[in-house]
Amino acid sequence: MSTDFHKLLFDISEALVTDELAALKFLSLEHVPMRKLEDIQEPKAFFKALQEKGMIEAENLSFLKELLYWINRMDLLAAHLGSSREEMARELQIPGRAKVSAYRQLLYRIAEDLTPEDVKCVKFLLQKEMPKNKLQDNASMLNVLLEMERNEIIKEDDLAVLKDILKRFRADVKKKIDIYEENKKENSSKEKLHYPGSVSMHPAGQGAEGETPHLLLESYTMKNNPHGYCVILNNHIFKNPHDVRQGTLQDGEAVKKVFEWLQFETVEHRNLEAKQMYAKLKEYSKKDHSNMDCFVCFILSHGEKDKIKGIDHELINIKDIVSCFSGSNCPSLAGKPKLFFIQACQGSASHPAVTVKEDFSGHLETDAAPQATIPDQSDTLVGMATMEDYECYRCPETGSIYIQCLCKKMELLCPLRKDLVTILTEVNKEVGARIFNRGKQMPMIKSNLRKQLIFQTPQSQSIGK
């Protein structure tokens, strides 16, 4: 294996030219110190440095694949590493998979997009900012950007000088920085979430109609009307009269109002036994979703950890529900987002409040219910009203705290084209900030969506109509 590994690196290094080595070094700056990279003059030494840092190993060539992808050497990627452009594009959409930061990608793409005349303009406009010996005719744009970083003229969170220069003669390139900054601001609130805010960018000319997506995450297609089914399983009256879930009908109405507005075929099924709940979802999994973009399911009930209760108090596993819509069980939804929202406790513990002042008055009830388990499949998101082992709250008059907040945030933020994870982060923030009769509540998101999900809103119709 070691011999094959070193032969692989040798063959790839022999195929790289000087400018490509410079690009690889630039893209690796966050993993190998600049001082070490400056001494490297040939690809073999570069690969050795990456090995010393543990960035490439015989058993893990993901970073090497990523680097070849960014510099557009798809021939080497295919011939030596058995990957294609499409496979890498999908791979790098997985949260946390890209090792080259969005900032480094941005600078590299800017350098690639500027013509020799553009670079001369940049150097001229930087004369008061940098020493002239760093702006010589033979200095590449990557070298200029490195010097700008050294002199702290540009930073990851401060690109104002570069924007001011580019807007004078390449407003299209300056726009890339605007998009990067917008995404950075939007994603900063969810860095610690299950769906990290990492963004990736395709090589030049590989976007739709020859355009580069420029740091924008790819979005799921939402072009059909209806976009899909929104199925609500709403258990209100249980066989044990003490378990009546007051307020849940208000939740059902709020969900129907929002998702009908979002152009989903919305159906509510009330008061089902456990077997009926499973059978109903199995029925939807057998439908043809070919002309639909998405599937949404709300489950409002009691339950226990990992399970949901039917009105007969029998239990159904969350993982069994979600598995009904896996790629193998529901082929017409393969590659499309499947969303499950669970209003239920995941235990009996109460989140302790950090302050004794209450900001919610009135009676609150709890739902004893499950932890969501996502099967090993893609394009699935499960939103839970609370974290494992904790309660969540429901007001008998107005509905559950989580569902009502979610519906209000979707009504507010969908018209602004905010993606679903951003909306759910706002829900987390608002619900988590409140104090209830018995403590706090913290919703949870479990996601393996591969793209952004942005709901389309009718331009001429308000939600109230």
Side-chain angles (χ1 to χ4, degrees):
M1 176 61 74
S2 178
T3 302
D4 291 342
F5 174 60
H6 288 99
K7 184 179 184 302
L8 170 71
L9 297 182
F10 178 86
D11 290 342
I12 293 175
S13 65
E14 287 293 294
L16 296 170
V17 298
T18 302
D19 287 346
E20 289 170 337
L21 174 60
L24 293 174
K25 289 162 62 175
F26 183 85
L27 292 167
S28 302
L29 269 170
E30 285 146 343
H31 304 287
V32 181
M34 185 179 293
R35 184 178 301 176
K36 188 173 187 66
L37 288 172
E38 285 176 335
D39 295 334
I40 293 174
Q41 302 300 322
E42 53 94 24
K44 298 180 190 68
F46 172 71
F47 290 144
K48 183 178 180 182
L50 290 183
Q51 287 178 266
E52 290 171 353
K53 290 293 180 179
M55 294 305 297
I56 56 173
E57 301 169 325
E59 301 79 21
N60 186 1
L61 297 170
S62 59
F63 187 57
L64 177 58
K65 292 180 180 180
E66 182 180 350
L67 290 175
L68 293 177
Y69 176 79
W70 296 133
I71 68 169
N72 214 20
R73 285 303 302 266
M74 304 305 166
D75 56 333
L76 298 179
L77 195 60
H80 297 287
L81 297 168
S83 292
S84 67
R85 183 194 309 279
E86 293 74 19
E87 288 171 346
M88 286 305 301
R90 288 194 297 269
E91 177 96 355
L92 293 173
Q93 290 291 341
I94 299 172
R97 189 62 57 90
K99 301 303 181 187
V100 179
S101 71
Y103 167 69
R104 190 71 37 198
Q105 293 172 37
L106 171 71
L107 296 184
Y108 178 68
R109 290 264 51 89
I110 289 173
E112 286 289 286
D113 288 346
L114 296 181
T115 67
E117 286 302 313
D118 293 335
V119 177
K120 287 181 181 178
C121 292
V122 173
K123 292 176 181 177
F124 179 82
L125 293 169
L126 279 172
Q127 287 182 92
K128 292 184 178 180
E129 305 284 344
M130 287 169 51
K132 288 186 179 180
N133 67 328
K134 301 297 183 182
L135 299 171
Q136 295 175 359
D137 290 343
N138 63 348
S140 70
M141 190 61 203
L142 286 181
N143 286 334
V144 172
L145 290 171
L146 283 173
E147 288 302 321
M148 292 178 76
E149 288 188 282
R150 276 198 182 99
N151 288 275
E152 298 190 338
I153 297 169
I154 57 172
K155 303 175 186 175
E156 184 174 357
D157 56 356
D158 185 3
L159 293 162
V161 173
L162 185 57
K163 281 175 65 174
D164 187 63
I165 289 172
L166 292 172
K167 75 179 182 181
R168 299 167 187 262
F169 57 95
R170 286 297 301 270
D172 59 321
V173 179
K174 178 256 184 189
K175 181 65 176 175
K176 295 179 183 180
I177 303 178
D178 293 335
I179 295 172
Y180 163 80
E181 290 176 337
E182 289 168 9
N183 281 328
K184 193 172 190 300
K185 182 179 179 181
E186 210 170 272
N187 290 325
S188 62
S189 64
K190 54 188 177 184
E191 289 174 354
K192 301 297 183 181
L193 212 57
H194 291 270
Y195 183 90
S198 63
V199 288
S200 59
M201 187 166 46
H202 299 289
Q206 301 308 318
E209 299 179 359
E211 299 275 332
T212 306
H214 302 318
L215 293 167
L216 286 173
L217 282 174
E218 187 181 357
S219 296
Y220 288 104
T221 299
M222 297 291 283
K223 64 182 181 181
N224 290 297
N225 188 2
H227 293 301
Y229 293 105
C230 174
V231 179
I232 306 165
L233 303 186
N234 193 351
N235 286 340
H236 176 213
I237 306 295
F238 284 71
K239 292 187 176 180
N240 183 339
H242 297 293
D243 289 335
V244 172
R245 299 182 63 255
Q246 299 292 350
T248 195
L249 299 184
Q250 289 89 327
D251 286 345
E253 290 303 313
V255 172
K256 282 193 288 185
K257 179 181 175 184
V258 169
F259 278 87
E260 286 173 357
W261 170 61
L262 292 174
Q263 299 177 323
F264 279 76
E265 186 173 327
T266 305
V267 185
E268 183 177 20
H269 302 280
R270 294 181 182 174
N271 304 326
L272 300 180
E273 296 180 352
K275 288 182 179 179
Q276 293 173 321
M277 293 172 69
Y278 183 76
K280 184 58 67 176
L281 289 174
K282 198 73 175 174
E283 175 186 323
Y284 279 95
S285 75
K286 298 302 181 185
K287 290 180 181 289
D288 184 4
H289 301 262
S290 299
N291 294 321
M292 295 183 172
D293 308 310
C294 182
F295 177 78
V296 180
C297 178
F298 281 80
I299 302 178
L300 318 175
S301 191
H302 291 303
E304 296 175 2
K305 187 175 179 180
D306 295 323
K307 298 175 176 65
I308 288 285
K309 275 186 181 180
I311 62 166
D312 57 350
H313 299 280
E314 293 298 318
L315 299 167
I316 177 174
N317 290 315
I318 287 286
K319 66 179 181 180
D320 292 338
I321 291 173
V322 178
S323 293
C324 289
F325 298 89
S326 66
S328 56
N329 290 326
C330 186
S332 60
L333 275 175
K336 300 176 183 180
K338 281 81 65 176
L339 315 176
F340 300 85
F341 298 96
I342 313 295
Q343 166 57 36
C345 296
Q346 296 193 54
S348 57
S350 176
H351 274 283
V354 295
T355 173
V356 296
K357 182 180 178 181
E358 294 185 357
D359 66 356
F360 187 90
S361 59
H363 177 62
L364 291 168
E365 296 182 357
T366 64
D367 292 316
Q371 173 191 10
T373 302
I374 299 174
D376 186 18
Q377 60 181 24
S378 64
D379 309 295
T380 302
L381 180 145
V382 178
M384 300 296 296
T386 192
M387 297 174 65
E388 182 178 351
D389 297 326
Y390 289 96
E391 294 177 328
C392 59
Y393 298 98
R394 173 172 36 81
C395 176
E397 289 78 30
T398 59
S400 66
I401 308 306
Y402 173 68
I403 295 295
Q404 294 295 325
C405 182
L406 172 60
C407 290
K408 288 174 183 176
K409 289 296 182 183
M410 293 192 75
E411 180 180 352
L412 176 68
L413 298 176
C414 285
L416 302 179
R417 292 190 57 76
K418 298 297 183 181
D419 69 280
L420 177 60
V421 172
T422 297
I423 293 172
L424 291 174
T425 304
E426 286 294 315
V427 173
N428 284 1
K429 179 181 177 182
E430 181 164 319
V431 174
R434 300 177 68 178
I435 301 174
F436 307 107
N437 290 347
R438 297 172 60 189
K440 304 280 283 184
Q441 178 177 331
M442 188 67 239
M444 183 174 65
I445 307 164
K446 289 191 174 184
S447 171
N448 55 18
L449 295 179
R450 297 175 298 112
K451 308 174 187 179
Q452 287 190 121
L453 178 54
I454 299 173
F455 290 103
Q456 306 298 313
T457 56
Q459 306 219 341
S460 60
Q461 180 184 352
S462 69
I463 192 169
K465 294 183 180 178

